[in-house]
Amino acid sequence: MAARLGGRYELGAVLGSGGMARVYAATDLVLGRQVAVKVLDPALARDPEFLARFGREARTAAMLPTHAGIVTIFDSGQDAGAAYLVMELVTGRTLAQTISSYGRFQTSVACRIALEVCQALVVAHGAGLVHRDIKPANIMLTNSDAVKVVDFGIARTQAADGLTRTGAVLGSPSYMAPEQITGAAVDARTDLYALGTVLYEMLTGAAPFVSEDSFAVLSRHLNEVPRPPSAINPEVPSEVDRIVAALLAKSPAQRPASAEQVAQMLAPAAGAPARDRTTVAMNPHEANRTRQMTPMVLPASAGGIGAGSGAGAGAVEPRRRRGLLAGYALIFAAVAAAVIYTMLPGSGNAPAATTGTTSSQSGSAQASAGATTPSASPSATDSATDTATDTSSPTSSPTDPASAVSALEQTISAEANSGDLDGNAQQDLENGVQNMQQTISDSNQNSDGTTQLSADARRRLKDEIANMRQLVSNDLQNGDASQNAATAIDNALNVLRQTLN
């Protein structure tokens, strides 16, 4: 591709790329300003119908009224077969990056961000434009502490001929509304459903439905009602539960009628004007559970608007000195314990076992020390722990899912009784155990007393394991679980996972 488009846009570093386009930092040589240039994938640019739609959507987005919460579109065009869109360059971090680094937000902060997204959607919907891909990766938290909605790349005008036809499924599975999944007509309420999933993720640290299988996620959006956020995060008040439930209604007719109405619903929970965020800490620690962090200042980022297209570079906050010291202390203690144990009389085969345990503890301690390191995704954690050796489980590990769930429940209770697991964290995990027990009880029982699980039941259990691993990771970072507790619970989850293979 030429380094200059349209004779005026000098392309620089790649900010991000996704399934449809790549975004570059660029210089507008005519106006002498920095911009972001989204270049359509060459294969799509060769499709006349897609290219026509790209141009039509670019013009529609460019006609949106100017609003602080919407990235401004400056220009669009074609050059040597490359279709491109020129936009305002936004520096900061995506909401997705922030959730990955900090976990769940305080309720007021989550509601304020959702409120500002609503204000941007009021403008877009008022102009007849549906975003159709509202998700954390498309919401920027800028260096100036503003919220901006980016990437109208698959947006549709509600009145455009051919653009609201059925059969076209575009979007991100974890945030798609049921009507979007089935290819039915979309409207402003489709964006409100997606906003509900984003709010849910900010409140709990994970999207409503999590699975390694995208089709399973889509099926759950169609058929399941997620647990209320307060079942995962007890700090969420009932009125916010009700807002989330309204946004995640399966039928568009049962959702709020407009983004403006949602903004009015969110305003009391936000607790302050949307632009006044100077005294609020955006962090995963609830004030009445752990120490209060100082207000977070979002760092400058090399990545800007490109993050909304599926990838974006963001500056990583410096590690906290206290976190590093705590991590090193845990590693030292684990190694020392292993050495002392091997010296005790009658240790037998202890060296092999304690070596494995030390390795596991060291890894968890490093996760604790790196307080700003993004948590591994549930799927990545599954992959890592499925192949790990369970060094702390009994010699005769449970081979039946029901027995493994019972062992998991006992492990959680034991860690809570020892003081290594916070009461709220215990409740969150026990809610997951109850869901697993319900799934198993609904399955067929064999004559020998074991459980015959259907493929769907196995999938549900694996999804719950992924959710619980994310909870444990968040609890470890928040200080609500000790490293020993996190290791023991993760080992129990690993045993359960192995019974499902």
Side-chain angles (χ1 to χ4, degrees), residues 42-67:
L44 296 175
R46 290 192 291 270
D47 182 339
E49 180 179 353
F50 199 99
L51 191 60
R53 188 175 71 181
F54 181 81
R56 185 160 55 245
E57 291 168 353
R59 290 190 296 273
T60 302
M63 290 187 294
L64 280 173
T66 301
H67 186 270

Side-chain angles (χ1 to χ4, degrees), residues 264-277:
Q264 293 172 351
M265 295 165 65
L266 287 168
R275 305 307 308 166
D276 179 13
R277 202 177 295 134

Side-chain angles (χ1 to χ4, degrees), residues 390 392-400 403-404 407 495:
D390 181 13
S392 64
S393 60
T395 303
S396 56
S397 298
T399 57
D400 180 63
S403 299
V495 171

Side-chain angles (χ1 to χ4, degrees), residues 105-113 199 202-203 233 235-237 240 269-270 286:
F105 294 172
Q106 292 178 353
T107 299
S108 61
V109 175
C111 290
R112 289 180 189 180
I113 293 173
L199 179 56
M202 286 192 287
L203 293 168
N233 177 7
E235 303 299 327
V236 177
V240 174
E286 284 74 15

Side-chain angles (χ1 to χ4, degrees), residues 104-345:
R104 66 196 186 203
F105 294 172
Q106 292 178 353
T107 299
S108 61
V109 175
C111 290
R112 289 180 189 180
I113 293 173
L115 175 61
E116 294 198 35
V117 174
C118 270
Q119 292 168 343
L121 290 177
V122 168
V123 175
H125 295 166
L129 191 66
V130 181
H131 189 287
R132 296 201 308 157
D133 199 22
I134 295 294
K135 60 183 179 181
N138 283 339
I139 298 170
M140 292 288 297
L141 306 178
T142 75
N143 295 337
S144 59
D145 201 24
V147 176
K148 282 184 178 285
V149 178
V150 305
D151 202 352
F152 280 80
I154 63 172
R156 280 184 176 176
T157 52
Q158 297 183 61
D161 292 339
L163 292 184
T164 56
R165 66 183 186 280
T166 59
V169 180
L170 293 171
S172 302
S174 293
Y175 310 96
M176 289 174 67
E179 66 272 17
Q180 197 173 7
I181 295 170
T182 60
V186 301
D187 60 22
R189 295 168 296 182
T190 302
D191 285 345
L192 299 184
Y193 183 96
L195 178 62
T197 66
V198 172
L199 179 56
Y200 191 104
E201 185 167 354
M202 286 192 287
L203 293 168
T204 67
F209 302 117
V210 179
S211 175
E212 302 170 11
D213 184 352
S214 294
F215 289 102
V217 173
L218 297 177
S219 175
R220 296 181 72 182
H221 275 295
L222 292 172
N223 301 305
E224 293 185 26
V225 175
R227 289 185 292 168
S230 62
I232 301 170
N233 177 7
E235 303 299 327
V236 177
S238 58
E239 57 266 26
V240 174
D241 272 345
R242 286 192 289 270
I243 294 172
V244 172
L247 291 171
L248 295 182
K250 303 300 182 186
S251 169
Q254 295 176 336
R255 296 174 209 149
S258 67
E260 186 173 13
Q261 181 179 345
V262 178
Q264 293 172 351
M265 295 165 65
L266 287 168
R275 305 307 308 166
D276 179 13
R277 202 177 295 134
T278 57
T279 60
V280 178
M282 186 179 297
N283 61 77
H285 307 293
E286 284 74 15
N288 60 345
R289 293 178 62 181
T290 60
R291 70 183 186 279
Q292 181 72 23
M293 293 170 61
T294 55
M296 187 185 81
V297 178
L298 297 173
S301 168
I305 193 172
S309 298
V316 179
E317 294 89 341
R319 294 174 183 265
R320 294 183 179 276
R321 181 175 299 177
R322 290 181 62 181
L324 282 172
L325 293 175
Y328 292 142
L330 284 170
I331 295 171
F332 178 82
V335 174
V339 173
I340 293 171
Y341 185 72
T342 59
M343 297 173 64
L344 293 175

